[in-house]
Amino acid sequence: DAGITQSPRHKVTETGTPVTLRCHQTENHRYMYWYRQDPGHGLRLIHYSYGVKDTDKGEVSDGYSVSRSKTEDFLLTLESATSSQTSVYFCAISESQGANYGYTFGSGTRLTVV
Amino acid sequence: GQQVMQIPQYQHVQEGEDFTTYCNSSTTLSNIQWYKQRPGGHPVFLIQLVKSGEVKKQKRLTFQFGEAKKNSSLHITATQTTDVGTYFCAGRGAAGNKLTFGGGTRVLVKP
C-alpha cells in the first residue's frame, strides 16, 4: 500500500547494538502500530500510538521503545538488540478504532540479530 | 489477557475443494477482522464482522461471527491457487482499543 512505507526493508545487526526502524505514512491516520511476526506466534503487538507523543505498550514491549514526534512517523527502537529479536517487523496504520476500519500494513522489515 | 486461537494451523487443500478455518477467543469480542497474507507479503485487510451471528460474503469467501461473539469462521469454496497464503483473524475486545491476532491458518493448494 503506497500510503505506508517501512525502512529499512532488511537489516542485519550485531547483538548489543541499538537499532531503529522507521514507519512513515502519508494518510494522516491517527493510529499507528508496531507488530512482530514469528512462526507459530502470528502477529504480536509491540507498541502503538494514538497520536503525536501518545504511545502505549503492547503485549511484547520489553526491550523496545517507540517515539512519535510527527503524525506521519512512528519509530521503533531496539535499545540493545538480542537474537530473540530476530523477526519480521510490521507497521500498521488505522484511521479509527471504530467499526469498519481495518489496519493497513507496511511491507515489513526483516531484522536479523547475529 | 485476551487470547485468540486459530485452527487448523496448516490446511492442505486440493484445488476445487472447500475448506473452513476457525477462530476462537477467550473473551467476548466487540468485533472481529480477517486478514490475508500472501507468501512473502504483508497482511491485507479482508473484512470486519460486528454483529452477533453476522454472515458476510466476498465472492467465494464466507465469514461468520458466532452468536456469543467469541468465535468466527472463514469458509472458502472451490479453492483456487490464488487462495494460497495465511489467513489471520484478529479480535477486538470489549475495551475496544487494540486488536489481538490469532496465529493464522496457512493454506496450501494442491493443483
Side-chain angles (χ1 to χ4, degrees), chain A residues 1 9 31 33 35 37 39-45 48 56-59 90 94 96-108, chain B residues 2 9-10 30-31 33 35 37 40-50 56 86 88 90 92 96-104:
Chain A
D1 294 68
R9 291 295 311 277
Y31 296 89
Y33 311 84
Y35 285 88
Q37 185 173 36
H41 290 277
L43 292 152
R44 293 182 291 175
L45 182 65
Y48 66 103
D56 204 350
K57 296 179 179 180
E59 59 183 306
F90 286 102
S94 175
S96 170
Q97 296 283 41
N100 299 322
Y101 288 100
Y103 290 7
T104 300
F105 283 83
S107 298
Chain B
Q2 180 180 300
Q9 189 174 357
Y10 296 94
S30 61
N31 56 66
Q33 298 180 355
Y35 292 78
Q37 183 178 22
H42 57 275
V44 174
F45 175 69
L46 294 177
I47 207 162
Q48 176 166 281
L49 304 170
V50 179
K56 288 187 177 180
T86 301
F88 292 98
R92 180 171 282 127
N97 56 352
K98 300 188 296 286
L99 285 178
T100 299
F101 281 79

Side-chain angles (χ1 to χ4, degrees), chain B residues 10 28 45 62 96 106:
Chain B
Y10 296 94
T28 301
F45 175 69
T62 301
R106 184 177 175 187

